[in-house]
């Protein structure tokens, strides 16, 4: 089994489109480091999710997610779930 981290992101009423572009660049950087497995937005525009891999533990996943521009600028909240995948 492999442990991944499912990050569920929900937009806040303060969501700003320009922060969404920063978020995409953040995800591109995480992907370039080999730590992003999958990402996508919800079709109802309420938020989205991404899956982190090759992260040491939940605390390290939280530390990375805390740097996501969506959270830094108050445009979204995030819940992280430790996920055993096969």
């Amino acid at each position: 089994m492999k442990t991944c981290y499912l990050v569920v992101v929900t937009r806040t009423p303060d969501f700003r489109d320009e922060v969404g572009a920063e978020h995409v660049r953040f995800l591109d950087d995480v992907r370039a480091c080999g730590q992003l497995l999958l990402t996508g937005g919800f079709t109802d525009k309420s938020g989205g999710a991404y899956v982190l891999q090759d992260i040491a533990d939940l605390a390290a996943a939280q530390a990375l997610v805390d740097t996501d521009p969506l959270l830094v600028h108050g445009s979204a909240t995030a819940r992280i779930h430790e996920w055993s995948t096969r």
Side-chain angles (χ1 to χ4, degrees), residues 1 4-5 10-11 13-15 27-28 32 34 40 43 47 50 57 66 68-70 74 77 81-84 86:
M1 292 231 211
C4 293
Y5 298 90
T10 304
R11 289 182 178 191
D14 297 326
F15 179 84
L27 292 175
D28 288 343
T43 58
Y50 52 96
D57 54 29
D66 286 345
D68 185 331
L70 288 177
T77 60
H81 300 272
E82 192 171 59
W83 190 14
S84 294
R86 9 179 209 148

Side-chain angles (χ1 to χ4, degrees), residues 29-68:
D29 290 344
V30 175
R31 184 182 308 275
C33 292
Q35 294 177 307
L36 182 63
L37 180 64
L38 186 67
T39 185
F42 300 141
T43 58
D44 66 0
K45 306 291 186 205
S46 64
Y50 52 96
V51 178
L52 299 172
Q53 64 181 358
D54 298 328
I55 303 287
D57 54 29
L58 183 57
Q62 183 68 60
L64 179 59
V65 171
D66 286 345
T67 67
D68 185 331

